[in-house]
Coordinates of all heavy atoms in Angstrom, one line a residue:
M1498 N 5.0 -14.3 10.7 CA 4.3 -13.5 9.7 C 4.8 -13.9 8.3 O 6.0 -14.2 8.2 CB 4.6 -12.0 10.0 CG 4.0 -11.1 9.0 SD 4.1 -9.4 9.6 CE 2.4 -9.0 9.3
S1499 N 4.0 -13.9 7.3 CA 4.4 -14.3 6.0 C 5.2 -13.2 5.3 O 5.0 -12.1 5.5 CB 3.1 -14.6 5.2 OG 2.3 -13.5 5.1
K1500 N 6.0 -13.7 4.5 CA 6.8 -12.8 3.6 C 5.9 -12.1 2.6 O 5.2 -12.8 1.9 CB 8.0 -13.5 2.9 CG 8.9 -12.6 2.1 CD 9.9 -13.5 1.4 CE 10.7 -12.7 0.5 NZ 10.0 -12.3 -0.7
L1501 N 6.0 -10.8 2.5 CA 5.2 -10.1 1.4 C 5.8 -10.5 0.0 O 7.0 -10.5 -0.2 CB 5.2 -8.6 1.7 CG 4.6 -8.2 3.0 CD1 4.8 -6.6 3.2 CD2 3.1 -8.4 2.9
P1502 N 4.9 -10.6 -1.0 CA 5.4 -10.8 -2.4 C 6.3 -9.7 -2.8 O 6.1 -8.6 -2.4 CB 4.1 -10.8 -3.1 CG 3.0 -11.2 -2.1 CD 3.4 -10.6 -0.9
N1503 N 7.2 -10.0 -3.7 CA 8.2 -9.0 -4.1 C 7.5 -7.9 -4.8 O 8.0 -6.7 -4.6 CB 9.2 -9.7 -5.1 CG 10.1 -10.8 -4.4 OD1 10.4 -10.6 -3.2 ND2 10.6 -11.7 -5.2
Q1504 N 6.6 -8.1 -5.6 CA 5.9 -7.0 -6.3 C 5.3 -6.1 -5.2 O 5.3 -4.8 -5.4 CB 4.8 -7.4 -7.3 CG 3.9 -6.4 -7.9 CD 4.8 -5.3 -8.7 OE1 6.0 -5.6 -9.1 NE2 4.3 -4.1 -8.8
Y1505 N 4.6 -6.6 -4.2 CA 4.1 -5.8 -3.1 C 5.2 -4.9 -2.4 O 5.0 -3.8 -2.2 CB 3.3 -6.6 -2.2 CG 2.4 -5.8 -1.3 CD1 1.1 -5.4 -1.6 CD2 2.9 -5.4 0.0 CE1 0.4 -4.5 -0.8 CE2 2.1 -4.6 0.9 CZ 0.9 -4.2 0.5 OH 0.1 -3.4 1.3
Q1506 N 6.2 -5.5 -2.2 CA 7.3 -4.8 -1.6 C 7.8 -3.7 -2.4 O 8.2 -2.6 -2.0 CB 8.5 -5.8 -1.2 CG 8.2 -6.7 -0.1 CD 9.4 -7.7 0.1 OE1 10.6 -7.3 0.1 NE2 9.1 -8.9 0.3
R1507 N 7.9 -3.9 -3.7 CA 8.3 -2.8 -4.7 C 7.2 -1.7 -4.7 O 7.6 -0.5 -4.7 CB 8.5 -3.4 -6.1 CG 9.7 -4.1 -6.3 CD 10.0 -4.6 -7.7 NE 9.0 -5.4 -8.3 CZ 9.1 -6.7 -8.2 NH1 10.1 -7.4 -7.6 NH2 8.2 -7.5 -8.9
M1508 N 6.0 -2.1 -4.6 CA 4.9 -1.1 -4.5 C 5.0 -0.3 -3.3 O 4.9 1.0 -3.2 CB 3.5 -1.8 -4.5 CG 3.1 -2.4 -6.0 SD 2.8 -1.1 -7.1 CE 1.2 -0.5 -6.5
Q1509 N 5.4 -1.0 -2.1 CA 5.5 -0.2 -0.9 C 6.6 0.8 -1.0 O 6.5 1.9 -0.4 CB 5.8 -1.2 0.2 CG 4.7 -1.9 0.9 CD 5.0 -2.8 2.0 OE1 6.1 -3.5 1.9 NE2 4.2 -2.8 3.0
K1510 N 7.7 0.4 -1.6 CA 8.8 1.5 -1.7 C 8.5 2.6 -2.6 O 8.9 3.7 -2.3 CB 10.1 0.7 -2.3 CG 10.7 -0.3 -1.3 CD 11.9 -0.9 -1.9 CE 12.5 -2.0 -0.9 NZ 13.5 -2.8 -1.4
R1511 N 7.7 2.3 -3.6 CA 7.4 3.4 -4.6 C 6.2 4.3 -4.2 O 6.2 5.4 -4.5 CB 7.1 2.8 -6.0 CG 8.3 2.2 -6.7 CD 8.0 1.6 -8.0 NE 7.7 2.7 -8.9 CZ 7.0 2.5 -10.1 NH1 6.7 1.3 -10.4 NH2 6.8 3.5 -11.0
F1512 N 5.2 3.6 -3.6 CA 4.0 4.3 -3.2 C 3.6 4.1 -1.8 O 2.6 3.5 -1.5 CB 2.9 3.8 -4.2 CG 3.3 3.9 -5.6 CD1 3.5 2.7 -6.3 CD2 3.3 5.0 -6.3 CE1 3.9 2.7 -7.7 CE2 3.6 5.2 -7.6 CZ 3.9 4.0 -8.4
K1513 N 4.4 4.5 -0.8 CA 4.3 4.2 0.6 C 2.9 4.7 1.1 O 2.2 3.9 1.7 CB 5.4 4.9 1.4 CG 5.2 4.8 2.9 CD 6.1 3.7 3.5 CE 6.1 3.6 4.9 NZ 5.1 2.8 5.5
K1514 N 2.5 5.9 0.8 CA 1.2 6.4 1.4 C 0.0 5.6 0.8 O -0.9 5.2 1.5 CB 1.0 7.8 1.0 CG 1.8 8.8 1.9 CD 1.4 10.2 1.5 CE 2.2 11.2 2.4 NZ 1.8 12.6 2.0
F1515 N 0.2 5.2 -0.5 CA -0.9 4.4 -1.1 C -1.1 3.0 -0.5 O -2.1 2.6 -0.1 CB -0.7 4.3 -2.6 CG -1.5 3.4 -3.3 CD1 -2.8 3.7 -3.6 CD2 -1.1 2.2 -3.8 CE1 -3.7 2.9 -4.3 CE2 -1.9 1.2 -4.5 CZ -3.2 1.6 -4.7
T1516 N 0.1 2.3 -0.4 CA 0.1 1.0 0.3 C -0.4 1.0 1.7 O -1.0 0.1 2.2 CB 1.4 0.2 0.0 OG1 2.4 0.9 0.6 CG2 1.6 -0.2 -1.4
D1517 N 0.0 2.1 2.4 CA -0.5 2.2 3.8 C -1.9 2.3 3.8 O -2.6 1.7 4.7 CB 0.2 3.4 4.4 CG 1.6 3.2 4.8 OD1 2.2 2.1 4.8 OD2 2.3 4.3 5.2
A1518 N -2.5 3.1 2.9 CA -4.0 3.3 2.9 C -4.6 2.0 2.5 O -5.7 1.6 3.1 CB -4.3 4.4 1.8
V1519 N -4.1 1.2 1.6 CA -4.6 -0.1 1.2 C -4.7 -1.1 2.4 O -5.6 -1.8 2.7 CB -3.9 -0.8 0.0 CG1 -4.3 -2.2 -0.3 CG2 -4.1 0.1 -1.2
E1520 N -3.5 -1.1 3.1 CA -3.4 -1.9 4.3 C -4.4 -1.5 5.4 O -5.1 -2.3 6.0 CB -2.1 -1.9 4.9 CG -1.0 -2.6 3.9 CD 0.4 -2.6 4.4 OE1 0.6 -2.1 5.6 OE2 1.3 -3.0 3.6
D1521 N -4.6 -0.2 5.5 CA -5.6 0.3 6.5 C -7.0 -0.1 6.1 O -7.8 -0.5 7.0 CB -5.5 1.8 6.7 CG -4.3 2.3 7.4 OD1 -3.6 1.5 8.1 OD2 -3.9 3.5 7.3
L1522 N -7.3 0.0 4.8 CA -8.6 -0.5 4.4 C -8.8 -1.9 4.6 O -9.9 -2.3 5.2 CB -8.8 -0.2 2.9 CG -10.1 -0.6 2.2 CD1 -11.3 0.0 2.9 CD2 -10.0 -0.4 0.7
G1523 N -7.8 -2.7 4.4 CA -7.9 -4.2 4.7 C -8.2 -4.4 6.1 O -9.0 -5.3 6.5
K1524 N -7.4 -3.8 7.0 CA -7.6 -3.9 8.5 C -9.0 -3.5 8.9 O -9.6 -4.2 9.7 CB -6.5 -3.2 9.2 CG -5.2 -3.8 9.1 CD -4.1 -2.9 9.8 CE -2.7 -3.4 9.4 NZ -1.7 -2.4 9.8
T1525 N -9.5 -2.4 8.3 CA -10.8 -1.9 8.8 C -11.9 -2.8 8.3 O -12.8 -3.2 9.1 CB -10.9 -0.5 8.1 OG1 -10.0 0.4 8.5 CG2 -12.4 0.1 8.5
A1526 N -11.8 -3.4 7.1 CA -12.8 -4.4 6.6 C -12.7 -5.7 7.4 O -13.8 -6.1 7.8 CB -12.4 -4.7 5.1
K1527 N -11.5 -6.1 7.8 CA -11.4 -7.3 8.6 C -12.0 -7.1 10.0 O -12.8 -7.9 10.5 CB -10.0 -7.8 8.7 CG -9.8 -9.1 9.4 CD -8.4 -9.5 9.5 CE -7.5 -8.6 10.4 NZ -7.2 -9.0 11.7
D1528 N -11.8 -5.9 10.6 CA -12.4 -5.7 12.0 C -13.8 -5.3 11.9 O -14.4 -5.2 13.0 CB -11.5 -4.5 12.5 CG -10.1 -4.9 12.8 OD1 -9.8 -6.1 12.8 OD2 -9.2 -4.0 13.0
A1529 N -14.4 -5.2 10.7 CA -15.9 -4.7 10.7 C -16.8 -5.8 11.0 O -18.0 -5.6 11.1 CB -16.1 -4.1 9.4
G1530 N -16.4 -7.1 11.1 CA -17.3 -8.2 11.3 C -16.7 -9.3 12.2 O -15.6 -9.2 12.6
P1531 N -17.6 -10.4 12.3 CA -17.2 -11.4 13.3 C -16.3 -12.5 12.7 O -16.0 -13.4 13.4 CB -18.5 -11.9 13.6 CG -19.4 -11.8 12.3 CD -18.8 -10.5 11.7
L1532 N -15.9 -12.5 11.4 CA -15.2 -13.6 10.9 C -13.7 -13.7 11.6 O -13.1 -12.7 11.7 CB -14.9 -13.5 9.4 CG -16.3 -13.6 8.6 CD1 -16.0 -13.5 7.0 CD2 -17.1 -14.9 8.8
D1533 N -13.3 -14.9 11.9 CA -12.1 -15.2 12.4 C -11.0 -15.0 11.3 O -11.3 -15.0 10.1 CB -11.9 -16.4 13.2 CG -12.2 -17.7 12.3 OD1 -11.8 -17.7 11.1 OD2 -12.7 -18.7 12.9
E1534 N -9.7 -15.0 11.8 CA -8.6 -14.8 10.8 C -8.6 -15.9 9.7 O -8.5 -15.6 8.5 CB -7.3 -14.8 11.6 CG -6.1 -14.4 10.8 CD -6.0 -12.9 10.6 OE1 -6.7 -12.2 11.2 OE2 -5.1 -12.6 9.7
K1535 N -8.7 -17.2 10.1 CA -8.7 -18.3 9.1 C -9.9 -18.2 8.2 O -9.6 -18.2 6.9 CB -8.9 -19.6 9.9 CG -8.9 -20.8 8.9 CD -9.0 -22.1 9.7 CE -10.4 -22.5 10.0 NZ -10.5 -23.8 10.5
T1536 N -11.1 -17.9 8.6 CA -12.2 -17.8 7.7 C -12.0 -16.6 6.7 O -12.3 -16.6 5.5 CB -13.5 -17.7 8.5 OG1 -13.6 -18.8 9.3 CG2 -14.7 -17.6 7.5
S1537 N -11.5 -15.4 7.3 CA -11.2 -14.3 6.5 C -10.3 -14.6 5.4 O -10.5 -14.2 4.2 CB -10.6 -13.2 7.4 OG -10.2 -12.1 6.7
H1538 N -9.3 -15.3 5.6 CA -8.3 -15.7 4.5 C -8.9 -16.6 3.5 O -8.6 -16.6 2.3 CB -7.0 -16.2 5.1 CG -6.2 -15.1 5.6 ND1 -5.6 -14.1 4.9 CD2 -5.8 -14.8 6.9 CE1 -5.0 -13.2 5.7 NE2 -5.1 -13.6 6.9
L1539 N -9.8 -17.5 4.0 CA -10.5 -18.5 3.1 C -11.4 -17.8 2.2 O -11.4 -18.1 1.0 CB -11.1 -19.6 3.9 CG -10.3 -20.6 4.6 CD1 -11.1 -21.5 5.5 CD2 -9.4 -21.4 3.6
V1540 N -12.1 -16.8 2.7 CA -12.9 -15.9 1.8 C -12.2 -15.2 0.8 O -12.5 -15.2 -0.4 CB -13.7 -14.9 2.6 CG1 -14.4 -13.9 1.8 CG2 -14.8 -15.7 3.5
R1541 N -11.0 -14.6 1.2 CA -10.2 -13.8 0.2 C -9.4 -14.9 -0.7 O -9.2 -14.5 -1.9 CB -9.2 -13.0 1.1 CG -10.0 -11.9 1.7 CD -9.1 -10.9 2.4 NE -8.7 -11.4 3.7 CZ -8.0 -10.8 4.6 NH1 -7.3 -9.6 4.3 NH2 -7.7 -11.3 5.7
L1542 N -9.2 -16.0 -0.3 CA -8.6 -17.1 -1.2 C -9.7 -17.3 -2.3 O -9.3 -17.5 -3.4 CB -8.3 -18.3 -0.3 CG -7.6 -19.5 -1.0 CD1 -6.8 -20.2 0.1 CD2 -8.5 -20.4 -1.7
A1543 N -10.9 -17.5 -1.9 CA -11.9 -17.8 -2.9 C -12.0 -16.6 -3.9 O -12.2 -16.9 -5.1 CB -13.3 -18.1 -2.2
A1544 N -12.0 -15.4 -3.3 CA -12.1 -14.3 -4.3 C -10.9 -14.2 -5.2 O -11.0 -13.9 -6.4 CB -12.1 -13.0 -3.5
S1545 N -9.7 -14.6 -4.7 CA -8.5 -14.6 -5.6 C -8.7 -15.7 -6.7 O -8.2 -15.4 -7.8 CB -7.3 -15.0 -4.7 OG -7.1 -14.1 -3.7
A1546 N -9.3 -16.8 -6.4 CA -9.6 -17.8 -7.3 C -10.5 -17.3 -8.4 O -10.4 -17.4 -9.6 CB -10.0 -19.1 -6.7
A1547 N -11.5 -16.6 -7.9 CA -12.6 -16.2 -8.8 C -12.0 -15.1 -9.8 O -12.4 -15.0 -11.0 CB -13.7 -15.5 -8.0
I1548 N -11.1 -14.3 -9.4 CA -10.5 -13.2 -10.3 C -9.3 -13.7 -11.1 O -8.7 -13.0 -11.8 CB -10.2 -11.9 -9.6 CG1 -9.1 -12.0 -8.6 CG2 -11.5 -11.3 -9.0 CD1 -8.6 -10.7 -8.1
G1549 N -8.9 -15.0 -10.7 CA -7.7 -15.6 -11.4 C -6.4 -14.9 -11.0 O -5.5 -14.9 -11.8
S1550 N -6.3 -14.5 -9.7 CA -5.0 -13.9 -9.3 C -4.1 -14.9 -8.6 O -4.3 -15.3 -7.5 CB -5.3 -12.8 -8.3 OG -4.1 -12.2 -7.8
E1551 N -3.1 -15.4 -9.3 CA -2.2 -16.4 -8.7 C -1.4 -15.9 -7.5 O -1.4 -16.6 -6.5 CB -1.2 -16.9 -9.8 CG -0.2 -17.9 -9.3 CD 0.7 -18.5 -10.4 OE1 0.5 -17.9 -11.6 OE2 1.5 -19.4 -10.1
G1552 N -1.0 -14.7 -7.6 CA -0.2 -14.1 -6.4 C -1.1 -14.0 -5.2 O -0.7 -14.4 -4.1
A1553 N -2.3 -13.5 -5.4 CA -3.1 -13.4 -4.2 C -3.6 -14.7 -3.7 O -3.7 -14.9 -2.5 CB -4.4 -12.5 -4.6
L1554 N -3.9 -15.7 -4.5 CA -4.1 -17.0 -4.1 C -3.0 -17.6 -3.3 O -3.2 -18.2 -2.2 CB -4.6 -17.9 -5.2 CG -5.3 -19.1 -4.7 CD1 -6.7 -19.4 -5.3 CD2 -4.4 -20.4 -4.8
H1555 N -1.8 -17.5 -3.8 CA -0.6 -18.0 -3.1 C -0.5 -17.3 -1.7 O -0.4 -18.0 -0.6 CB 0.7 -17.6 -3.8 CG 1.0 -18.5 -4.9 ND1 1.9 -18.1 -5.9 CD2 0.6 -19.7 -5.3 CE1 2.0 -19.1 -6.9 NE2 1.2 -20.0 -6.4
S1556 N -0.8 -16.0 -1.6 CA -0.7 -15.3 -0.4 C -1.7 -15.7 0.6 O -1.4 -16.0 1.7 CB -0.8 -13.7 -0.6 OG -0.8 -13.0 0.5
H1557 N -3.0 -15.8 0.2 CA -4.1 -16.1 1.1 C -4.0 -17.6 1.5 O -4.5 -18.0 2.6 CB -5.4 -15.7 0.5 CG -5.5 -14.2 0.6 ND1 -5.5 -13.5 1.8 CD2 -5.6 -13.3 -0.3 CE1 -5.6 -12.2 1.6 NE2 -5.7 -12.0 0.2
T1558 N -3.5 -18.5 0.6 CA -3.3 -19.9 1.0 C -2.2 -19.9 2.1 O -2.5 -20.6 3.2 CB -2.7 -20.7 -0.2 OG1 -3.8 -20.7 -1.2 CG2 -2.5 -22.1 0.2
R1559 N -1.1 -19.3 2.0 CA -0.1 -19.2 3.0 C -0.6 -18.6 4.3 O -0.5 -19.2 5.4 CB 1.0 -18.4 2.5 CG 2.3 -18.5 3.2 CD 3.5 -17.8 2.5 NE 3.2 -16.7 1.6 CZ 3.1 -16.8 0.3 NH1 3.4 -17.9 -0.3 NH2 2.9 -15.7 -0.4
R1560 N -1.4 -17.6 4.2 CA -1.9 -16.8 5.4 C -3.0 -17.6 6.0 O -3.1 -17.7 7.3 CB -2.3 -15.5 5.0 CG -1.1 -14.6 4.6 CD -1.4 -13.3 3.9 NE -2.0 -12.4 4.7 CZ -2.4 -11.2 4.4 NH1 -2.5 -10.9 3.0 NH2 -2.9 -10.4 5.2
A1561 N -3.8 -18.4 5.2 CA -4.8 -19.2 5.9 C -4.2 -20.3 6.6 O -4.7 -20.6 7.8 CB -5.8 -19.7 4.7
M1562 N -3.1 -20.9 6.1 CA -2.5 -22.0 6.8 C -1.8 -21.5 8.0 O -1.9 -22.2 9.1 CB -1.4 -22.6 5.9 CG -2.1 -23.4 4.7 SD -0.9 -24.2 3.6 CE -0.4 -25.6 4.7
E1563 N -1.3 -20.3 8.1 CA -0.7 -19.7 9.2 C -1.7 -19.5 10.3 O -1.5 -19.5 11.5 CB 0.1 -18.4 8.8 CG 1.3 -18.6 8.0 CD 1.9 -17.3 7.5 OE1 1.3 -16.3 7.7 OE2 3.0 -17.4 6.9
A1564 N -3.0 -19.2 9.9 CA -4.1 -19.0 10.8 C -4.8 -20.3 11.2 O -5.8 -20.3 11.9 CB -5.2 -18.1 10.1
G1565 N -4.2 -21.4 10.7 CA -4.7 -22.7 11.2 C -5.5 -23.5 10.1 O -6.0 -24.6 10.5
A1566 N -5.7 -23.1 9.0 CA -6.4 -23.8 8.0 C -5.7 -25.1 7.5 O -4.4 -25.0 7.4 CB -6.7 -23.0 6.7
K1567 N -6.3 -26.2 7.3 CA -5.8 -27.4 6.9 C -5.8 -27.4 5.4 O -6.7 -26.8 4.8 CB -6.5 -28.6 7.4 CG -6.3 -28.7 9.0 CD -7.2 -29.8 9.5 CE -7.1 -30.0 11.0 NZ -7.3 -28.8 11.8
P1568 N -4.9 -28.2 4.7 CA -5.0 -28.2 3.3 C -6.4 -28.6 2.7 O -6.9 -28.2 1.8 CB -3.9 -29.3 2.9 CG -3.0 -29.1 4.0 CD -3.8 -28.8 5.2
E1569 N -7.1 -29.6 3.5 CA -8.4 -30.0 3.0 C -9.4 -28.8 3.0 O -10.3 -28.8 2.1 CB -8.9 -31.1 3.9 CG -8.1 -32.4 3.9 CD -6.8 -32.3 4.7 OE1 -6.7 -31.4 5.6 OE2 -5.9 -33.2 4.5
E1570 N -9.2 -27.9 4.0 CA -10.1 -26.7 4.1 C -9.9 -25.8 2.9 O -10.8 -25.2 2.3 CB -10.0 -26.0 5.3 CG -10.5 -26.8 6.6 CD -10.1 -26.2 7.9 OE1 -8.9 -25.9 8.2 OE2 -11.1 -25.9 8.7
I1571 N -8.6 -25.7 2.5 CA -8.2 -24.8 1.4 C -8.8 -25.4 0.1 O -9.4 -24.7 -0.7 CB -6.7 -24.7 1.3 CG1 -6.3 -23.7 2.6 CG2 -6.3 -24.1 0.0 CD1 -4.8 -23.8 2.9
Y1572 N -8.6 -26.7 -0.2 CA -9.1 -27.3 -1.3 C -10.6 -27.3 -1.4 O -11.2 -27.0 -2.5 CB -8.6 -28.8 -1.5 CG -7.1 -28.9 -1.7 CD1 -6.3 -29.6 -0.9 CD2 -6.5 -28.1 -2.7 CE1 -5.0 -29.7 -1.0 CE2 -5.1 -28.3 -2.9 CZ -4.3 -29.0 -2.1 OH -2.9 -29.2 -2.2
H1573 N -11.3 -27.4 -0.2 CA -12.7 -27.5 -0.2 C -13.1 -26.1 -0.6 O -14.2 -25.9 -1.4 CB -13.2 -27.9 1.1 CG -14.7 -28.1 1.2 ND1 -15.5 -27.9 2.3 CD2 -15.6 -28.5 0.2 CE1 -16.7 -28.1 2.0 NE2 -16.8 -28.5 0.7
T1574 N -12.5 -25.0 -0.1 CA -12.9 -23.7 -0.4 C -12.8 -23.4 -1.9 O -13.8 -22.8 -2.4 CB -11.9 -22.7 0.4 OG1 -12.1 -22.8 1.8 CG2 -12.2 -21.2 -0.1
I1575 N -11.8 -24.0 -2.5 CA -11.7 -23.8 -4.0 C -12.7 -24.5 -4.7 O -13.4 -24.0 -5.6 CB -10.3 -24.2 -4.5 CG1 -9.2 -23.2 -3.8 CG2 -10.2 -24.0 -5.9 CD1 -7.8 -23.5 -3.9
I1576 N -12.9 -25.8 -4.4 CA -13.8 -26.6 -5.3 C -15.2 -26.3 -5.1 O -16.1 -26.5 -6.0 CB -13.6 -28.1 -5.1 CG1 -13.9 -28.6 -3.7 CG2 -12.2 -28.6 -5.5 CD1 -14.0 -30.1 -3.5
L1577 N -15.6 -25.6 -4.0 CA -16.9 -25.1 -3.8 C -17.3 -24.1 -4.9 O -18.5 -23.8 -5.1 CB -17.1 -24.5 -2.4 CG -17.3 -25.4 -1.2 CD1 -17.2 -24.6 0.1 CD2 -18.6 -26.1 -1.3
L1578 N -16.3 -23.5 -5.5 CA -16.5 -22.5 -6.5 C -16.8 -23.0 -7.9 O -17.2 -22.2 -8.8 CB -15.2 -21.6 -6.6 CG -14.8 -20.9 -5.4 CD1 -13.4 -20.2 -5.5 CD2 -15.8 -19.9 -4.9
T1579 N -16.7 -24.3 -8.1 CA -16.9 -24.9 -9.5 C -18.1 -24.4 -10.2 O -18.0 -23.9 -11.3 CB -16.8 -26.3 -9.4 OG1 -15.6 -26.8 -8.7 CG2 -16.8 -27.0 -10.8
S1580 N -19.3 -24.4 -9.6 CA -20.5 -24.0 -10.4 C -20.6 -22.5 -10.5 O -21.4 -22.1 -11.4 CB -21.7 -24.5 -9.6 OG -21.9 -24.0 -8.3
T1581 N -19.7 -21.8 -9.8 CA -19.7 -20.3 -10.0 C -18.7 -19.8 -10.9 O -19.0 -18.9 -11.8 CB -19.6 -19.6 -8.6 OG1 -20.4 -20.2 -7.6 CG2 -19.6 -18.1 -8.7
I1582 N -17.5 -20.3 -10.8 CA -16.4 -19.8 -11.7 C -16.0 -20.8 -12.8 O -15.2 -20.4 -13.7 CB -15.2 -19.3 -10.8 CG1 -14.5 -20.5 -10.1 CG2 -15.6 -18.3 -9.9 CD1 -13.1 -20.1 -9.5
G1583 N -16.4 -22.0 -12.7 CA -16.1 -23.0 -13.7 C -14.9 -23.8 -13.4 O -14.0 -23.4 -12.6
F1584 N -14.8 -25.0 -14.0 CA -13.8 -26.0 -13.7 C -12.3 -25.5 -14.0 O -11.4 -25.7 -13.3 CB -14.1 -27.3 -14.4 CG -13.0 -28.4 -14.2 CD1 -13.0 -29.1 -12.9 CD2 -12.0 -28.6 -15.1 CE1 -12.0 -30.0 -12.7 CE2 -11.1 -29.6 -14.8 CZ -11.0 -30.2 -13.7
P1585 N -12.2 -24.9 -15.2 CA -10.8 -24.4 -15.6 C -10.2 -23.5 -14.5 O -9.0 -23.6 -14.2 CB -11.0 -23.8 -16.9 CG -12.2 -24.3 -17.5 CD -13.1 -24.6 -16.4
K1586 N -10.9 -22.5 -14.0 CA -10.4 -21.6 -13.0 C -10.2 -22.3 -11.7 O -9.2 -22.1 -11.0 CB -11.4 -20.4 -12.8 CG -11.2 -19.4 -13.8 CD -12.0 -18.1 -13.4 CE -11.7 -17.0 -14.3 NZ -12.3 -15.7 -13.9
V1587 N -11.1 -23.3 -11.4 CA -10.9 -24.1 -10.2 C -9.6 -24.9 -10.3 O -8.9 -25.0 -9.3 CB -12.2 -24.9 -9.9 CG1 -11.9 -26.0 -8.8 CG2 -13.2 -24.0 -9.4
S1588 N -9.4 -25.6 -11.4 CA -8.3 -26.4 -11.5 C -7.0 -25.5 -11.5 O -6.0 -26.0 -10.8 CB -8.3 -27.1 -13.0 OG -7.2 -27.8 -13.2
A1589 N -7.0 -24.4 -12.0 CA -5.8 -23.5 -11.9 C -5.6 -23.1 -10.5 O -4.5 -23.1 -10.0 CB -6.0 -22.2 -12.7
A1590 N -6.7 -22.7 -9.8 CA -6.5 -22.4 -8.4 C -6.0 -23.5 -7.5 O -5.2 -23.2 -6.6 CB -7.9 -21.9 -7.8
V1591 N -6.5 -24.7 -7.8 CA -5.9 -25.9 -7.0 C -4.5 -26.0 -7.2 O -3.6 -26.2 -6.3 CB -6.7 -27.2 -7.4 CG1 -5.9 -28.4 -6.9 CG2 -8.1 -27.2 -6.7
S1592 N -4.0 -25.8 -8.5 CA -2.6 -25.9 -8.8 C -1.8 -24.8 -8.0 O -0.7 -25.0 -7.5 CB -2.3 -25.9 -10.3 OG -2.4 -24.6 -10.8
W1593 N -2.4 -23.6 -8.0 CA -1.7 -22.5 -7.3 C -1.7 -22.8 -5.7 O -0.6 -22.5 -5.1 CB -2.4 -21.2 -7.5 CG -2.4 -20.8 -8.9 CD1 -1.5 -21.2 -10.0 CD2 -3.2 -20.0 -9.6 NE1 -1.8 -20.6 -11.1 CE2 -2.9 -19.9 -11.0 CE3 -4.4 -19.3 -9.2 CZ2 -3.7 -19.1 -11.9 CZ3 -5.1 -18.5 -10.1 CH2 -4.7 -18.4 -11.4
A1594 N -2.7 -23.4 -5.2 CA -2.7 -23.7 -3.8 C -1.6 -24.9 -3.6 O -1.0 -24.8 -2.5 CB -4.1 -24.2 -3.3
D1595 N -1.6 -25.8 -4.5 CA -0.5 -26.8 -4.3 C 0.9 -26.3 -4.3 O 1.7 -26.7 -3.5 CB -0.5 -27.8 -5.6 CG -1.7 -28.7 -5.7 OD1 -2.3 -29.0 -4.5 OD2 -2.0 -29.3 -6.7
D1596 N 1.1 -25.2 -5.0 CA 2.4 -24.5 -5.0 C 2.8 -24.2 -3.5 O 4.0 -24.5 -3.1 CB 2.5 -23.2 -5.7 CG 2.3 -23.4 -7.2 OD1 2.5 -24.5 -7.7 OD2 1.9 -22.3 -7.8
V1597 N 1.9 -23.7 -2.7 CA 2.2 -23.3 -1.3 C 2.1 -24.5 -0.4 O 3.0 -24.7 0.4 CB 1.1 -22.2 -0.9 CG1 1.3 -21.9 0.5 CG2 1.2 -20.9 -1.8
I1598 N 1.1 -25.3 -0.5 CA 0.8 -26.4 0.3 C 2.1 -27.4 0.3 O 2.6 -27.9 1.3 CB -0.5 -27.1 0.1 CG1 -1.6 -26.2 0.5 CG2 -0.6 -28.5 0.8 CD1 -3.0 -26.5 0.0
K1599 N 2.5 -27.7 -0.9 CA 3.7 -28.7 -1.1 C 4.9 -28.1 -0.5 O 5.7 -28.9 0.1 CB 3.9 -29.0 -2.5 CG 2.7 -29.9 -3.2 CD 3.0 -30.2 -4.6 CE 1.8 -31.1 -5.0 NZ 2.0 -31.4 -6.5
K1600 N 5.1 -26.8 -0.5 CA 6.3 -26.3 0.2 C 6.2 -26.3 1.7 O 7.3 -26.5 2.4 CB 6.4 -24.7 -0.2 CG 6.9 -24.5 -1.5 CD 7.1 -23.0 -1.7 CE 7.6 -22.7 -3.1 NZ 7.7 -21.3 -3.4
K1601 N 5.0 -26.3 2.2 CA 4.8 -26.4 3.7 C 4.9 -27.8 4.3 O 5.1 -28.0 5.5 CB 3.4 -25.9 4.1 CG 3.2 -24.4 3.8 CD 3.7 -23.6 4.9 CE 3.4 -22.1 4.6 NZ 4.0 -21.3 5.6
R1602 N 4.7 -28.8 3.4 CA 4.8 -30.1 3.9 C 6.3 -30.7 4.0 O 7.3 -30.2 3.7 CB 4.1 -31.1 2.9 CG 2.6 -31.0 3.0 CD 1.9 -31.9 2.2 NE 0.4 -31.7 2.5 CZ -0.5 -32.2 1.8 NH1 -0.3 -33.0 0.8 NH2 -1.8 -32.0 2.1

């Protein structure tokens, strides 16, 4: 299991009921459809890139890899977004994915 980001751990300590509800919502959404674990994290990785969330992109890159995603699949997920979110955001997202992928190698 992946280590939760430090900020998330601080949120859990301060707002336990709230973070429990957020986690329950995430589990309910994941269980609502047919996507497998890897695909689910790739979708959330793409959303993280779209909103420019470095922390979420790190987390979903790590979790997608734990679910069996190859680096090529992660990079392809990100570059597919170019015409939607633009090259600068895609470039930033690739660098954030690199942070995680290079540590795993």
